[in-house]
Amino acid sequence: MNIKQLHYFHELAKHRHFAKAAKACHITQPTLSASITALEKSVGTDLVVRTSQFVALTEAGELVRQYAERMLLEQEALKQELALFQGELSGTLRIGIVPQSNLDIMPFIARCKQRYPDIVIRLSVLSNEALLSQLELHQCDIGLGFDEPVGGAGRRAFHVYPQGANQMAVLMNRDEADLYPHSGDIALAELQQQPLVLP
């Protein structure tokens, strides 16, 4: 077993498709398949249920996926720590953003690139649900979204840094607007019966 095999296996578990995983790893599909087979031989059990294509991970495969993810994260952390000896931070910073969040991320990215030119920034536009999922799976390092759905154990899993209130406005035709007061805030509950198109 080696770190490259674990990387290939982790990509296969993520994409759940041999061709897509091979493309993500910049290798051919036969090379990926051979690496997964070699990994299975080294651990002495099947990790993938497959016919002519990927079907699912076995129970042992799911266990290996969890360990592989932690080991790959540790490897990346080690690379970043070692980069400090050369005086510059390097690596990849993965940022997920929900389009409706009112924070302008571009000045942050510009300052980060200016200060740390060796850091690669990957920006993904996601729904809030997908963002929380990717944070939990360590597929995003930072998320800019809404924290309202994060409660209980989920909230304890994240460090949440409030960035101010998200300003929203309701746009409607004049006939509908007459049903609401002309000053003050409108609670979302008051709009429950209205067909809404959200940004």
Side-chain angles (χ1 to χ4, degrees):
M1 179 192 317
N2 60 50
I3 200 76
K4 188 174 284 188
Q5 289 173 338
L6 290 174
H7 169 64
Y8 293 165
F9 178 74
H10 185 260
E11 288 296 321
L12 177 63
K14 183 167 71 174
H15 293 281
R16 299 189 169 270
H17 191 277
F18 277 93
K20 289 178 183 175
K23 185 176 180 181
C25 295
H26 308 290
I27 58 173
T28 64
Q29 189 172 330
T31 302
L32 178 77
S33 296
S35 177
I36 301 301
T37 300
L39 179 60
E40 288 176 322
K41 284 181 182 173
S42 72
V43 298
T45 187
D46 289 340
L47 302 176
V48 179
V49 178
R50 52 187 176 288
T51 52
S52 59
Q53 57 188 0
F54 180 92
V55 176
L57 296 180
T58 64
E59 193 173 331
E62 178 56 31
L63 181 65
V64 170
R65 183 201 65 76
Q66 292 172 14
Y67 273 88
E69 184 172 279
R70 288 199 293 268
M71 292 166 77
L72 292 167
L73 285 170
E74 287 295 319
Q75 181 195 31
E76 185 61 31
L78 174 61
K79 285 180 182 176
Q80 290 178 16
E81 291 281 341
L82 290 173
L84 292 175
F85 288 107
Q86 299 171 0
E88 285 296 329
L89 287 176
S90 64
T92 302
L93 178 63
R94 300 162 302 175
I95 303 173
I97 186 166
V98 176
Q100 293 89 347
S101 60
N102 66 344
L103 187 66
D104 184 4
I105 188 136
M106 297 318 290
F108 164 77
I109 291 175
R111 286 194 310 270
C112 187
K113 287 301 291 178
Q114 187 175 16
R115 186 166 178 189
Y116 306 107
D118 294 332
I119 290 182
V120 175
I121 296 176
R122 288 196 185 144
L123 187 62
S124 301
V125 178
L126 305 163
S127 68
N128 205 60
E129 184 178 285
L131 173 62
L132 295 174
S133 174
Q134 289 205 8
L135 286 167
E136 285 179 323
L137 295 171
H138 304 289
Q139 294 171 353
C140 266
D141 302 306
I142 299 173
L144 298 169
F146 305 108
D147 69 341
E148 289 88 348
V150 184
R155 177 173 273 281
R156 289 193 296 272
F158 302 117
H159 294 288
V160 178
Y161 302 94
Q163 299 297 311
N166 196 37
Q167 299 297 317
M168 297 184 74
V170 179
L171 304 177
M172 60 182 74
N173 67 40
R174 290 183 186 277
D175 295 337
E176 292 287 331
D178 290 338
L179 301 174
Y180 297 95
H182 292 288
S183 62
D185 295 336
I186 299 174
L188 285 176
E190 295 178 62
L191 300 172
Q192 277 184 327
Q193 302 306 316
Q194 298 294 330
L196 297 177
V197 178
L198 298 175

